Amino acid sequence: MKKINPHKRNKHGASSLFLAIIMSAVILVECTFVAFVWNLDYALSVNTALKNEIETILADYNRQLYSVYGIYAFTMDGIDGECFEKALEINGLNSQSELFVSGKQKFTCDDLRKAIDSYFWYRGTGFSMKMVVENYSDMISELDKNGVLKQVGQFMKSPAAGYVSKILTGSEKAEEWIKKAGDTLNLDELTKEADDIDSLSEDYKNAIKDFGLDIDVDIADWESLLKTLSILENSRQLMTDDSPAVLTKFNVSFYCAYNFDCEFKPKGDASINGTGFDAIHGKKKADCEYFITGREGMAGALQVEFLVAHVLIISCMLKDYADEKFRNTIYVIAQVISEIITALSEGTVKIDPRIIQAGLIFYCAMVQSMKEFWNVMYKGGRAEIFAYQGNKIVSWGYRDFLYLFCLCTPVDKLLGRSLEVLERDYGELCKGLTLEADFRGNTYSVTKSYRLYG
């Protein structure tokens, strides 16, 4: 038998073993490299898919919100990972990552301000013209310059106010009031003036009857009218400043007054681009009134109604005072009433006829404004603010009054309240978000928002 030497080596076996060791190392390196490249490719695909998903979400902004209000924004409702998964499938990959929203950027009041400025930038500056506030400022300045407002205030605080209101609203004719003065006044000499006084009284009574109102001239709250004037004085200050902040003030005020629903809108009224408000929220809302007063529903609408009435009274006062014939007639009547008061008080009360004249102009303006008020608030028409030789020069509709009152409301309140209304109609608004996906212990994220608000 042949004896086998266990220590004898075969050179071919050693080579095979050596090659196997070398190849195993090469294969390990190659597999590691391939796995790294595959992971890198998947990570790049995840990033691409995240970008596609976030671009899709941003592109899915509310079209009506943009068309009517110029706002790029979306809501989180309905967001899913379909686009993310399809983007991976296009590259031949199966989704091995979970997509989730790790952060969202809410739409803020400052974002709304930027959107409004942009809204008017490409629509032109004609929308936010200063005509309304210019006209109103001129009106107040004219009354101040002639001392009418001061005189009316003096009248309302004097005993003359009580006498005049009784003369205008009472059942007695002017002739009877003159007779009460005894021998101090001669009725034969004051026949025309008595007729004029009766005419004023009749005009007042007819106006009350025509509009179905059960009020008395004594309720004229001069202090509240002065308070309204004080509020509206803020609008005059805007005319002396052309800073960017003031331009924003005009833009925001116009945007809130003309682009939202209101309680007393005329038939066919719509947003700036013609979209009906019923297409936005279905039922009429007092949104503009809420922006101005901070009160919802009819409470805010009635407060704005009160402001409109005061502005119309002041407008009528100016028109009457500018009419020389009317002013002179009222002054003669005021002289007669002044003498009646002096006679009835046995000389203890003496009132300057100019003070009574201003009070009469105020009362006449109250009566005259009723027709304009009714036309604006309940017929959807326009009120005559300025006239020359019987022709209307300036007239305002209800939206114009809202614009004036918005100008007197702080911008931050307008923005905050309008954003509340927008989110009521469209849901919580977002301008951007952060998406994340994980893979093998690594987290990939993308954050993006609209450049308009950057």
Side-chain angles (χ1 to χ4, degrees):
M1 176 182 287
K2 186 177 180 181
K3 189 176 180 179
I4 299 176
N5 185 358
H7 301 290
K8 186 177 181 181
R9 299 177 182 276
N10 188 310
K11 64 179 180 179
H12 297 291
S15 298
S16 298
L17 182 60
F18 175 76
L19 290 174
I21 293 172
I22 295 299
M23 290 304 296
S24 64
V26 172
I27 292 171
L28 178 62
V29 172
E30 289 294 327
C31 289
T32 302
F33 180 74
V34 170
F36 173 76
V37 172
W38 188 89
N39 285 340
L40 181 61
D41 181 64
Y42 188 87
L44 291 174
S45 297
V46 169
N47 270 318
T48 300
L50 284 172
K51 290 178 181 178
N52 289 338
E53 177 70 27
I54 203 168
E55 289 285 355
T56 301
I57 293 172
L58 292 176
D60 193 27
Y61 58 87
N62 190 298
R63 296 304 191 268
Q64 186 185 72
L65 184 64
Y66 171 72
S67 175
V68 178
Y69 299 105
I71 294 172
Y72 285 107
F74 61 91
T75 61
M76 301 301 293
D77 299 337
I79 291 181
D80 54 39
E82 183 179 358
C83 181
F84 175 76
E85 294 171 359
K86 287 187 177 297
L88 291 177
E89 291 174 7
I90 290 174
N91 293 319
L93 302 171
N94 294 323
S95 178
Q96 301 179 34
S97 303
E98 181 182 356
L99 176 70
F100 57 94
V101 178
S102 63
K104 60 182 179 181
Q105 301 174 32
K106 287 192 62 177
F107 188 79
T108 66
C109 291
D110 189 57
D111 298 324
L112 180 58
R113 177 187 58 77
K114 293 176 182 177
I116 292 173
D117 283 339
S118 173
Y119 184 83
F120 286 105
W121 175 260
Y122 64 81
R123 282 173 172 79
T125 57
F127 282 142
S128 58
M129 51 190 178
K130 301 178 181 179
M131 183 185 70
V132 171
V133 68
E134 285 176 340
N135 292 335
Y136 183 74
S137 296
D138 291 342
M139 185 169 66
I140 294 181
S141 296
E142 190 66 25
L143 289 172
D144 275 344
K145 184 174 66 177
N146 291 283
V148 178
L149 298 178
K150 180 180 179 180
Q151 290 176 354
V152 177
Q154 292 173 338
F155 167 80
M156 296 300 293
K157 294 177 181 178
S158 73
Y163 283 105
V164 174
S165 64
K166 290 177 182 178
I167 290 173
L168 293 182
T169 62
S171 59
E172 296 178 343
K173 296 287 186 180
E175 176 183 339
E176 295 172 306
W177 279 95
I178 294 173
K179 287 180 178 179
K180 287 181 181 181
D183 299 332
T184 306
L185 300 177
N186 188 336
L187 177 61
D188 295 334
E189 296 178 356
L190 300 174
T191 302
K192 183 179 181 305
E193 287 74 10
D195 290 341
D196 289 337
I197 294 174
D198 289 337
S199 178
L200 287 178
S201 177
E202 197 65 29
D203 287 344
Y204 172 79
K205 293 173 184 176
N206 289 338
I208 299 301
K209 180 180 178 181
D210 290 343
F211 292 99
L213 302 174
D214 185 20
I215 62 175
D216 187 271
V217 77
D218 286 330
I219 70 166
D221 189 350
W222 179 246
E223 293 300 324
S224 66
L225 191 144
L226 290 178
K227 184 177 180 181
T228 299
L229 288 174
S230 177
I231 294 172
L232 299 178
E233 281 283 326
N234 295 331
S235 64
R236 298 178 63 186
Q237 299 175 5
L238 296 173
M239 305 308 302
T240 61
D241 193 344
D242 292 323
S243 68
V246 171
L247 295 179
T248 296
K249 173 71 171 176
F250 279 106
N251 288 341
V252 172
S253 298
F254 194 97
Y255 184 86
C256 290
Y258 292 93
N259 219 20
F260 287 86
D261 206 355
C262 60
E263 182 66 31
F264 301 104
K265 62 178 181 286
K267 186 177 180 180
D269 183 61
S271 65
I272 291 176
N273 77 336
T275 300
F277 297 111
D278 55 348
I280 298 175
H281 48 234
K283 186 179 180 182
K284 182 169 66 174
K285 303 283 186 180
D287 293 334
C288 292
E289 292 87 353
Y290 170 63
F291 300 158
I292 296 166
T293 66
R295 298 181 177 180
E296 298 182 355
M298 284 305 299
L302 291 174
Q303 186 171 336
V304 169
E305 188 178 42
F306 192 66
L307 293 172
V308 171
H310 281 171
V311 172
L312 288 173
I313 289 172
I314 293 299
S315 172
C316 289
M317 285 178 64
L318 179 61
K319 287 184 289 185
D320 288 344
Y321 196 83
D323 186 332
E324 184 177 0
K325 181 179 179 181
F326 179 86
R327 187 172 69 249
N328 290 338
T329 299
I330 291 295
Y331 183 73
V332 173
I333 294 174
Q335 286 180 311
V336 174
I337 293 177
S338 177
E339 292 179 13
I340 291 175
I341 294 173
T342 301
L344 291 176
S345 65
E346 297 181 352
T348 59
V349 178
K350 294 183 179 180
I351 306 295
D352 189 333
R354 290 173 297 180
I355 301 299
I356 297 178
Q357 177 193 33
L360 287 173
I361 288 177
F362 171 58
Y363 284 151
C364 290
M366 281 183 55
V367 173
Q368 294 165 0
S369 67
M370 290 180 188
K371 180 179 179 181
E372 302 285 4
F373 178 80
W374 189 269
N375 188 39
V376 171
M377 304 301 293
Y378 300 104
K379 290 187 176 181
R382 302 181 68 81
E384 178 186 285
I385 302 299
F386 294 102
Y388 180 71
Q389 295 183 348
N391 298 317
K392 285 187 178 182
I393 303 300
V394 176
S395 64
W396 289 355
Y398 184 61
R399 292 281 183 186
D400 299 317
F401 285 99
L402 292 177
Y403 179 37
L404 176 63
F405 303 147
C406 281
L407 284 169
C408 302
T409 306
V411 172
D412 59 338
K413 291 188 181 297
L414 291 177
L415 291 173
R417 292 165 183 170
S418 56
L419 182 55
E420 285 180 36
V421 168
L422 290 170
E423 293 196 330
R424 179 201 67 197
D425 291 337
Y426 295 99
E428 185 182 57
L429 302 178
C430 297
K431 62 178 179 179
L433 75 167
T434 299
L435 294 180
E436 291 187 354
D438 59 345
F439 176 67
R440 293 186 177 179
N442 292 321
T443 300
Y444 305 92
S445 67
V446 174
T447 300
K448 196 166 187 179
S449 63
Y450 299 111
R451 290 186 179 180
L452 175 63
Y453 314 118

